[in-house]
Amino acid sequence: MSSSPTNVARRWARTGLVAFVALIAAAGLAACAPSDPEPPELDTEAAPAPLPEEPAEESVEEPAPAPLDGRLIAIDPGHNGGNFDAPDEIAREVDAGPETKRCNTVGAVADDGYRESRFNIELARRLRAMLEARGAEVVMTREDDDGVGPCIDERGTFGQDTGADLMISIHADGAAEDGHGFHVIRPGGWEGQSEEVVERSSRLATQVRDHLVNYGLTPSNYVGEDGIHVRSDLGTLNLSEVPAVLLEAGNMHNDDDLAMLRSNEGQDALGAALADAIEHYLDG
Ligand SMILES: [Zn+2]
């Protein structure tokens, strides 16, 4: 028997036509007899194309809450630009936890004169904008780079004094020039600090380290372990009753680190990594 393409096509067309007519008839019957317990199955592939979406209904829905809605984040930009002109004022001894320490220091300075205090406020402002865009409220221990202090005891209690969920202290290091990379300092604990705060600070430090690495930043090759350094001699961390970590974002005496620290791209990566870390920490 011949089964040329033409004949096959005709046969399929005929079969299809019969099926179509049967379908129409069945649908008509079903419509006429709504109580029919077993309506014929319709070919789902032949279902009509879906109607275009109606936008009006969607737009009245509440937008999803921002991820950091209701959160208060404390940022501590280390040092201050005015410290250079106030040596006596920053030299007085203040409470630092297990011991007293000097109120504040001037911080690191790059060979070309770029100051750590300046970097710290630049990154702090960038981080603040990123956190606010995610719905958080942000408080900072200083707003500009012209003043003196505050002292480390004030920075240390700033988290609980403002009711913040956590505190990030921002610094850059001034180490030997062949040292490079960031390190996150977390409190090691002492008798005046709760174990819970130490433990939660440790979790926060891990999040910060992991997210910095995600953004392509390199852990320090000269201090700490895998980008985390534990210290019990820093008033800023010792006096905190909220989870707190101190980021040394890079070494200002290393050319590659300095270029990263000063660049928009570097500061954007640092800020985004910190914002991600804060969000994940508070989520967990
Ligand atoms: Zn510093």
Side-chain angles (χ1 to χ4, degrees), residues 79 107 116 120 171-172 248:
H79 316 282
E116 180 199 341
N120 294 342
H171 290 251
E248 296 281 8

Side-chain angles (χ1 to χ4, degrees), residues 52 57 110 230 243 264:
E57 302 270 340
V230 185
N264 274 321

Side-chain angles (χ1 to χ4, degrees), residues 15-235:
T15 313
L17 185 64
V18 170
F20 180 68
V21 169
L23 196 66
I24 295 294
L29 278 174
C32 293
S35 60
D36 188 340
E38 286 191 335
E41 279 184 35
L42 294 178
D43 183 355
T44 50
E45 285 187 1
L51 292 172
E53 280 183 33
E54 293 179 42
E57 302 270 340
E58 303 278 332
S59 60
V60 297
E61 278 181 26
E62 290 277 311
L68 292 175
D69 255 358
R71 298 296 193 175
L72 180 63
I73 309 301
I75 303 176
D76 171 43
H79 316 282
N80 205 334
N83 286 4
F84 288 86
D85 304 317
D88 294 341
E89 207 174 329
I90 62 170
R92 68 188 173 90
E93 293 283 312
V94 297
D95 181 20
E99 54 182 357
T100 63
K101 281 184 94 170
R102 291 175 50 163
C103 155
N104 216 192
T105 57
V106 294
V109 183
D111 289 345
D112 65 359
Y114 182 58
R115 292 173 171 182
E116 180 199 341
S117 68
R118 171 82 191 190
F119 162 78
N120 294 342
I121 196 77
E122 285 175 0
L123 178 55
R125 287 174 175 164
R126 213 172 281 240
L127 175 59
R128 174 171 62 187
M130 290 175 178
L131 292 171
E132 286 174 348
R134 299 182 191 207
E137 256 190 88
V138 175
V139 284
M140 307 215 307
T141 55
R142 62 179 172 103
E143 296 288 333
D144 54 41
D145 199 34
D146 306 322
V148 177
C151 297
I152 51 169
D153 54 345
E154 201 178 313
R155 295 174 192 261
T157 57
F158 188 70
Q160 58 265 32
D161 289 347
T162 55
D165 290 285
L166 57 83
M167 185 168 84
I168 304 280
S169 186
I170 293 175
H171 290 251
D173 209 0
E177 66 182 26
D178 57 346
H180 67 83
F182 73 83
H183 63 284
V184 186
I185 304 175
R186 69 168 179 85
W190 62 291
E191 70 225 18
Q193 193 168 37
S194 82
E195 280 181 24
E196 192 200 340
V197 167
V198 174
E199 188 275 326
R200 289 168 66 196
S201 298
S202 174
R203 282 205 296 118
L204 178 59
T206 302
Q207 287 286 355
V208 170
R209 188 270 316 278
D210 289 352
H211 284 88
L212 288 167
V213 169
N214 284 350
Y215 276 85
L217 295 149
T218 318
S220 167
N221 70 344
Y222 64 92
V223 65
E225 205 171 303
D226 293 330
I228 294 179
H229 191 204
V230 185
R231 285 178 67 171
S232 298
D233 63 327
L234 299 173

